[in-house]
Amino acid sequence: MIPVTFFTGWLIISWLLFPVLRERFSKLYVKNDAGMTSYKTAALAAHQDDMRQSHKDRRWTSNGVTVNPWAYQSGNTQSTDDILNPIYLFCEHLLISVVFMLLGPVILVVSILVKQVRRGVLHTK
């Protein structure tokens, strides 16, 4: 039998509230890595944009292509974006879940109070 202390009771309540918190803060768990690009990929995109906008005399242009056809043999560069983004998202979601499990009741009460204050229920005139 597990001795029921304040900490075990707190964890049980937090674990029971975890699905509610996850539903309430579902935006934290949405995969949105559109802005996650490495410096190498961003630098390559900036370089290609610069070359496209400032090339002279159409010396690299063949049939309307305005980039150097010899610069790269493939459409994208070898980068760690595809490897690191899922690992980063996993760690981020894991950290959010641990915080929800440890501070679940506090987060839920604070979020309900903030919502009530924004609605004006607790707002005094």
Side-chain angles (χ1 to χ4, degrees):
M1 185 80 154
I2 298 175
V4 179
T5 62
F6 176 76
F7 184 69
T8 56
W10 182 268
L11 283 181
I12 289 171
I13 291 171
S14 294
W15 289 340
L16 291 174
L17 289 176
F18 181 70
V20 175
L21 287 168
R22 188 166 171 137
E23 180 67 30
R24 189 175 189 97
F25 297 100
S26 61
K27 290 183 181 179
L28 295 175
Y29 289 95
V30 174
K31 181 181 179 186
N32 185 12
D33 60 351
M36 293 174 56
T37 57
S38 68
Y39 293 113
K40 181 179 179 181
T41 304
L44 175 64
H47 171 70
Q48 288 176 340
D49 286 342
D50 186 40
M51 293 301 291
R52 212 176 304 120
Q53 292 172 2
S54 64
H55 73 284
K56 302 235 190 278
D57 298 330
R58 302 266 182 215
R59 59 183 173 212
W60 288 345
T61 302
S62 61
N63 297 331
V65 177
T66 57
V67 295
N68 185 354
W70 318 123
Y72 303 101
Q73 297 294 328
S74 64
N76 51 11
T77 61
Q78 181 180 1
S79 175
T80 57
D81 291 349
D82 295 333
I83 297 168
L84 293 180
N85 287 353
I87 294 171
Y88 172 76
L89 289 174
F90 173 77
C91 293
E92 182 182 9
H93 294 166
L94 183 65
L95 178 66
I96 292 168
S97 297
V98 168
V99 168
F100 280 169
M101 286 185 194
L102 291 179
L103 301 174
V106 173
I107 293 171
L108 188 62
V109 168
V110 168
S111 70
I112 289 172
L113 287 175
V114 167
K115 188 174 183 181
Q116 294 298 325
V117 167
R118 284 186 182 167
R119 283 186 181 175
V121 173
L122 297 178
H123 185 66
T124 59
K125 292 183 179 182

